[in-house]
Amino acid sequence: MTEITLRKARTIIRKALEAGRADELKPLSIVVLDSGGHVKAFEREDGAAPGRFAIAHGKAHGAIMLGMAGTAQMKRAEEQGYFMNAMNGLYGGQLVPVPGGVLVRDRKGAIVGAVGVTGDTSGNDAKAATAGIEAAGLTAEI
């Protein structure tokens, strides 16, 4: 299985931040996780709240651990809250089931990691993540 390289992780972050600036989003925080859920890279823009790492990580962590992007997690939480509550318990309360937790797939469709973006609305966070992922030559699943 292919993994996200540090170079690609840095590209994802750089391009996501550029997209955020172009769209005049609030200051973003972005984390890139590998397929095992380990942090590959993280950046928090000047002016972003200090607690944003935990939110970005929770978005990405949920996506990678469940193999389900943030949009699907939110839908599942709305339909079966007990399931997402149970999953959050299993993962020590580290899941944030909302858009902005984006699965990253390689050219063959294999999951190679996840990106978590926070700082603006969940939809805008997902849009910035997608811009970064696509700029790195990978596919985003929001």
Side-chain angles (χ1 to χ4, degrees):
M1 177 190 304
T2 308
E3 288 290 337
I4 293 179
T5 63
L6 180 58
R7 183 176 178 168
K8 285 207 184 259
R10 288 177 173 160
T11 297
I12 291 168
I13 290 173
R14 185 177 76 252
K15 293 299 187 177
L17 290 173
E18 287 175 11
R21 295 294 51 85
D23 289 343
E24 298 181 359
L25 303 184
K26 294 175 184 171
L28 300 176
S29 296
I30 304 168
V31 68
V32 179
L33 305 182
D34 66 17
S35 63
H38 305 286
V39 175
K40 228 23 203 189
F42 170 76
E43 285 193 29
R44 182 176 61 89
E45 278 189 296
D46 294 342
R52 290 294 179 166
F53 172 79
I55 298 168
H57 184 268
K59 287 181 175 187
H61 186 72
I64 202 71
M65 290 296 126
L66 299 176
M68 182 187 307
T71 301
Q73 288 180 62
M74 185 171 76
K75 186 174 188 291
R76 186 80 181 261
E78 290 168 347
E79 294 172 357
Q80 295 178 312
Y82 63 88
F83 174 79
M84 288 307 293
N85 284 336
M87 293 304 97
N88 216 352
L90 286 175
Y91 292 107
Q94 295 185 41
L95 307 184
V96 180
V98 296
V102 182
L103 284 173
V104 180
R105 294 185 182 271
D106 66 12
R107 290 187 177 112
K108 294 180 181 179
I111 295 172
V112 295
V115 174
V117 177
T118 184
D120 207 271
T121 66
S122 292
N124 285 339
D125 293 345
K127 183 179 174 186
T130 298
I133 292 164
E134 290 176 352
L138 298 164
T139 301
E141 181 180 323
I142 61 167

